[in-house]
Amino acid sequence: MAATVSDAAAPAHQFPLPKILTNPASTPPTLITQGAEGRLYKTTYLRPDTACALKYRPPKPWRHPALDQRLTRHRILSEARILAKCRRDGLRVPSVYALDESAGWLMLEWIEGTPVRVNINNRLGNRTEGIEDDEQLKDLMRKIGTAVGKMHSIGIIHGDLTTSNMMLKPPSAGSQSDGAAGLEGEIVIIDLGLAGGGVHDEDRAVDLYVLERAFGSTHPRAECIFDEVLEAYKKSFKQAGVALKKLEEVRMRGRKRSMLG
Ligand SMILES: Nc1ncnc2c1ncn2[C@@H]1O[C@H](COP(=O)(O)OP(=O)(O)O)[C@@H](O)[C@H]1O
Ligand SMILES: [Mg+2]
């Protein structure tokens, strides 16, 4: 009675699926996002009740095939390596379940919850006032700062820090209190495809600057509480103060560049 995955998936996806997703034994994949570089599917790993995220980078017809293969392999291996290091060093990121760098996919632990972007926007609604007094929202900002600080303290630079590249994983069912309005839980940093090792304060400052700019354009009304991120970052590791000092220089350069057009 159950259709095979390829049957079930074919009408929903106009693109070829990687072989692993056409395995009739696994749960039909759901396409979660489709970006320029890749697609994110929700499916299962080994057992039908173990949800997982499959990140697939399809071949890019506009790139030279050999170069494309090399780039895809490199990015998948790099993301997996960095995820493994983060977990080893105690930063909450998805576990790596499996990968096939030649086929272009990486299978990760499924993180319940939503990207932080969604939580912030839901919380803001169409409010324009009282945002700077919203202690729960500010608490979420501090959690972001602490997570980024932890990441930098273990020598990882994210390369694409945005509120879409971090998830808020709600506390497990039963322990959730009512008043939290979806802001309780832990921050899980995701999308480390552009990440790399880095111990220079300049690199950390650029990482923070990317987040600051992305935050300002995604959540302009919450810009007034972004400082909470930096305050928590400052407390999160010894070197943080130096990176924040550098951030001021990076901002200046950014301003000069935008004046020059
Ligand atoms: N491990 C995961 N668990 C649950 N959802 C995920 C997971 N990884 C990614 N996602 C969802 O898929 C989206 C895209 O994944 P991401 O790794 O950011 O790839 P991209 O390079 O396309 O931005 C995320 O914003 C998030 O909503
Ligand atoms: Mg992303």
Side-chain angles (χ1 to χ4, degrees):
M1 32 124 271
T4 64
V5 172
S6 47
D7 287 341
H13 312 292
Q14 295 139 14
F15 331 94
L17 289 166
K19 247 204 207 116
I20 179 145
L21 287 182
T22 59
N23 174 3
S26 60
T27 308
T30 314
L31 184 63
I32 304 290
T33 61
Q34 154 90 47
E37 283 292 322
R39 302 178 214 142
L40 199 294
Y41 294 93
K42 182 178 185 181
T43 177
T44 55
Y45 174 64
L46 296 179
R47 291 159 47 119
D49 58 353
T50 307
C52 73
L54 190 113
K55 208 169 166 169
Y56 174 53
R57 295 175 172 278
K60 312 291 181 302
W62 60 87
R63 256 188 224 138
H64 185 279
L67 172 71
D68 186 45
Q69 256 270 325
R70 202 147 37 111
L71 215 64
T72 296
R73 288 169 54 115
H74 171 80
R75 293 213 176 125
I76 287 179
L77 290 174
S78 159
E79 184 162 9
R81 241 180 244 128
I82 287 175
L83 285 167
K85 177 186 165 55
C86 288
R87 282 193 78 86
R88 247 187 348 260
D89 293 350
L91 176 71
R92 187 63 174 97
V93 295
S95 315
V96 177
Y97 288 164
L99 61 83
D100 184 338
E101 77 278 18
S102 303
W105 58 260
L106 177 62
M107 197 179 258
L108 306 171
E109 169 193 357
W110 180 257
I111 306 295
E112 294 298 337
T114 43
V116 171
R117 181 195 74 247
V118 173
N119 299 83
I120 297 177
N121 286 344
N122 285 350
R123 179 74 176 191
L124 289 175
N126 39 30
R127 261 196 308 162
T128 51
E129 276 165 42
I131 294 164
E132 60 279 11
D133 302 319
D134 187 333
E135 280 309 317
Q136 282 167 8
L137 198 54
K138 281 158 79 175
D139 194 50
L140 177 65
M141 298 297 111
R142 291 187 281 268
K143 276 191 227 168
I144 295 173
T146 305
V148 174
K150 171 80 192 175
M151 181 183 72
H152 283 178
S153 76
I154 62 169
I156 299 295
I157 303 297
H158 188 283
D160 189 19
L161 275 180
T162 64
T163 52
S164 299
N165 286 338
M166 36 187 97
M167 307 279 295
L168 183 64
K169 182 177 189 288
S172 50
S175 63
Q176 200 160 4
S177 74
D178 285 338
L183 293 186
E184 276 191 351
E186 64 175 333
I187 299 286
V188 183
I189 294 187
I190 60 165
D191 201 0
L192 287 116
L194 294 174
V199 290
H200 299 297
D201 296 303
E202 170 81 21
D203 300 333
R204 291 172 175 148
V206 172
D207 226 17
L208 292 171
Y209 185 64
V210 168
L211 177 61
E212 184 173 80
R213 293 297 296 257
F215 190 91
S217 62
T218 316
H219 315 287
R221 276 174 294 138
E223 239 179 336
C224 55
I225 56 168
F226 186 77
D227 267 350
E228 298 291 335
V229 174
L230 300 179
E231 278 299 315
Y233 177 85
K234 191 172 185 176
K235 292 187 192 132
S236 67
F237 74 110
K238 232 172 84 207
Q239 283 276 101
V242 191
L244 288 170
K245 196 95 203 106
K246 279 265 175 213
L247 173 61
E248 288 169 24
E249 290 173 32
V250 175
R251 281 185 190 131
M252 295 275 275
R253 288 207 301 265
R255 246 172 251 138
K256 265 190 214 140
R257 236 196 318 271
S258 60
M259 272 188 327
L260 292 171

